[in-house]
Amino acid sequence: MTSDELRARVADLSVWKRGSQRASHKPLLLLWALGRLVCDQARLTPYTTVDEGVRPLLEEFGPPRRSYHSEYPFWYLQNDGLWEVTGVSAARVREGKTSQPTKTELVRVGAEGGLTLPAWRLLKEDSGLVREVAETLLEVHFAETMHDDLLHAVGLERVEIVTRRRRDPRFRDAVLIAYGYRCAFCGFDARLQHAPVGIEAAHIRWHQARGPDVVPNGLSLCALHHKLFDRGALTLAASGHIAVSPLVNGGSATDRWVVDLDGGEAEVPRSSAHHPDPAFLAWHRREVFRAG
């Protein structure tokens, strides 16, 4: 394997698809493995350790689901030529469309997994390649406001990441103009002399999930509420009212700036053509919002 081949395999990562649903299992497992690599941890890791590290990442940074399965990426990442699993020759496989050991079986046989030896060696020898791989995984699969928190969670906070923006640069201007440079949730509209400060254009359906750079797929939000929106703490109900996740908690400031927004009416542009598209809002409620 060459460095270019590694880059191509990461960029073309085969992720599970069903309609517009998010699937971040493999990217999160790879980011977790990169974190172990830069911290000089062993290449092969028992599945039980992988589960302890990756399942919380799925719960925090993946789409909201009733249950979270670290065994899926642990097994299926092998198909991308970046991961290997050992110690499973005696494992019984699940009957059905796929031949995959269950989580119980992976634990029972003491399965281990890790980056393939060629991939591991390339990354150990080239810190710049680690940065490129991490950048690709973040840019392709996660909203930009999540990047710093995710890097910290996997132990890559020391890796200098440069986000490569692919969105239409006119998107921000169009969204902020439509909303009068005000946060749609709290009305924040600070300016430093004539320049707006802390006001951002948030995608409702992320561009990583093929969300278009059009005003009906955007909200003008302050930096705080943009990040909370992308993390699933806030959303817009079908009625247009703000919904706050029941998982949000904190002190009086959290109540004032977040919890008290629940049920309030979000500001919308004057032009109905610029109002949030119900289909994009439905995607956000289904794939991002933490309903509890």
Side-chain angles (χ1 to χ4, degrees), residues 6 12 22 53 62 80 83 105 124 144 164 186 189 197-198 203 222 234 277 280:
L6 175 59
D12 297 332
R22 291 173 57 207
D80 297 275
W83 187 262
E105 279 296 289
K124 287 295 285 185
E144 187 177 337
R164 298 183 296 274
C186 70
D189 60 354
V197 178
H203 281 83
C222 66
L234 299 168
D277 189 305
F280 298 142

Side-chain angles (χ1 to χ4, degrees), residues 103-251:
K103 180 175 183 176
T104 301
E105 279 296 289
L106 292 172
V107 174
R108 184 184 71 83
V109 301
E112 293 189 323
L115 294 167
T116 62
L117 188 56
W120 177 269
R121 285 174 172 167
L122 286 170
L123 291 162
K124 287 295 285 185
E125 294 168 0
D126 187 352
S127 60
L129 185 59
V130 172
R131 184 188 67 249
E132 290 181 49
V133 168
E135 286 175 352
T136 297
L137 293 169
L138 292 171
E139 178 65 20
V140 173
H141 300 284
F142 302 97
E144 187 177 337
T145 56
M146 302 171 70
H147 292 184
D148 286 344
D149 291 342
L150 185 46
L151 289 171
H152 179 77
V154 299
L156 288 173
E157 59 265 51
R158 292 175 295 174
V159 177
E160 186 176 349
I161 301 297
V162 179
T163 301
R164 298 183 296 274
R165 294 176 180 268
R166 298 177 182 177
R167 67 195 68 180
D168 187 338
R170 296 169 295 184
F171 172 74
R172 176 184 182 275
D173 291 340
V175 170
L176 297 191
I177 290 171
Y179 283 83
Y181 295 90
R182 292 169 56 87
C183 176
F185 287 175
C186 70
F188 181 82
D189 60 354
R191 292 176 178 268
L192 186 60
Q193 291 189 328
H194 303 296
V197 178
I199 299 294
E200 302 171 351
H203 281 83
I204 299 172
R205 177 168 170 171
W206 301 351
H207 73 98
Q208 291 86 353
R210 301 183 300 281
D213 288 321
V214 296
V215 175
N217 189 39
L219 287 173
S220 175
L221 297 176
C222 66
L224 171 64
H225 291 132
H226 184 181
K227 187 163 189 173
L228 291 170
F229 184 72
D230 283 348
R231 289 293 298 273
L234 299 168
T235 194
L236 282 180
S239 64
H241 291 83
I242 301 166
V244 178
S245 169
L247 303 180
V248 171
N249 62 89

Side-chain angles (χ1 to χ4, degrees), residues 1-9 82 118-119 122-123 129:
M1 181 188 295
T2 66
S3 296
D4 285 342
E5 288 172 339
L6 175 59
R7 293 185 186 95
R9 292 184 187 187
L82 296 167
L122 286 170
L123 291 162
L129 185 59

